[in-house]
Each structure stands twice: as structure tokens, then as C-alpha cells.
Amino acid sequence: MAVTSQCYAFPSRNTRSVRNSVGSGCLGRPMAVIRTSSEQRRALTLLASSRDGANEELLVRGHGLSRVVLSSLVRRRLAARKREAVMAGSKADEVIRFRITEAGRRAIGG
């Protein structure tokens, strides 16, 4: 009788355990389903379409996303937040830029 190994995802508060079928390419690594809301998927899609990421104010005021959704993406490591200094003429200002992570790309299937 042959013994087959099966992979299970590590359960956490943000993922659900998934049992992979044999031959699904598991290769001994756990796979996890990342559950996202429609607004989170919309935010990730916007971030994925921009190579340099997007300014927080543009996402909030221009696209109508909530800061709570953006923070949840960062907390779940689906997006990264970085403060950057920008020059507007002779005036320096600080902005927050969001970028999608590899985990975020996997979450939207891209």
C-alpha cells in the first residue's frame, strides 16, 4: 500500500484551511486561501495596475476606498505602506504610498 502525503494550509484568523488534492502541485508546501472582501479586491486591483503604487489620498479621495480597508491590507501583508518625501515646487511634503505585495497578487489571482 502506497502512502501519499497531503498538504494542509496553516489555519489563522485570516485564512481558511484547505485540503489539496493529490497532484495539485503542493510539493510539501502548505497552501492557503486568502479571503478578501470586494473592496479589498478592488484596492488590490488598483495597486496591481500601478507599477509604483498609489498615493493614499488618491486611493481614498479619488477612488473612494476607506482607510480601514487599506490598513487591513497592510496588516494582512497583502499591501505595503511607505512614507515618502515629495517636492512640490520648493515645498517638501510627506505622502504615504501603498504598493501591492506578492501575497496580494496571489490573493487576486495575478
Side-chain angles (χ1 to χ4, degrees):
M1 179 167 80
V3 177
T4 60
S5 66
Q6 296 184 4
C7 297
Y8 294 91
F10 292 120
S12 73
R13 63 188 177 115
N14 294 326
T15 58
R16 181 179 63 182
S17 291
V18 176
R19 186 171 149 176
N20 293 331
S21 61
V22 176
S24 65
C26 184
L27 300 176
R29 295 184 316 203
M31 301 288 289
V33 172
I34 300 172
R35 299 185 65 158
T36 56
S37 69
S38 61
E39 190 173 8
Q40 288 172 329
R41 280 191 303 278
R42 187 167 71 95
L44 289 171
T45 303
L46 285 168
L47 293 175
S49 68
S50 176
R51 183 173 57 97
D52 296 326
N55 182 324
E56 180 182 30
E57 292 302 316
L58 173 68
L59 293 170
V60 171
R61 294 183 184 186
H63 293 287
L65 296 171
S66 73
R67 285 184 168 86
V68 172
V69 167
L70 295 173
S71 294
S72 72
L73 293 175
V74 172
R75 192 171 45 254
R76 296 175 64 193
R77 295 186 175 102
L78 301 176
R81 176 187 317 177
K82 183 178 180 184
R83 292 184 186 271
E84 295 180 352
V86 295
M87 293 295 292
S90 61
K91 182 181 173 190
D93 201 6
E94 188 175 86
V95 297
I96 298 173
R97 183 170 299 278
F98 286 86
R99 290 184 174 89
I100 191 168
T101 62
E102 285 303 314
R105 289 186 194 284
R106 286 191 303 270
I108 61 172

